[in-house]
Amino acid sequence: MKNFRCGDVVPGCTRAFTGTEDDILTRVAVHARTDHGLLEMPADLVTQVRSAMTVAA
């Protein structure tokens, strides 16, 4: 299990996610579309999200 805080990539965002890497990426894509107006997740953003994930305690 991993954690991801959107604010680590998008300053000011307070959303956080916990799950498998694939689960987090799927949920972040929906969040990015609905809350940040991104129609798709560019490859560099996926890389940033993966890099910002931490192992869940």
Side-chain angles (χ1 to χ4, degrees):
M1 296 292 279
K2 294 191 174 189
N3 294 320
F4 170 71
R5 293 180 302 161
C6 189
D8 291 341
V9 175
V10 180
C13 185
T14 60
R15 287 291 305 269
F17 305 87
T18 300
T20 65
E21 187 171 311
D22 288 340
D23 181 47
I24 290 173
L25 288 172
T26 299
R27 292 172 36 218
V28 167
V30 172
H31 166 66
R33 183 173 38 255
T34 58
D35 295 329
H36 298 296
L38 295 178
L39 299 179
E40 60 183 61
M41 291 264 298
D44 63 321
L45 183 56
V46 172
T47 299
Q48 289 178 351
V49 170
R50 281 192 170 120
S51 294
M53 287 183 193
T54 59
V55 175

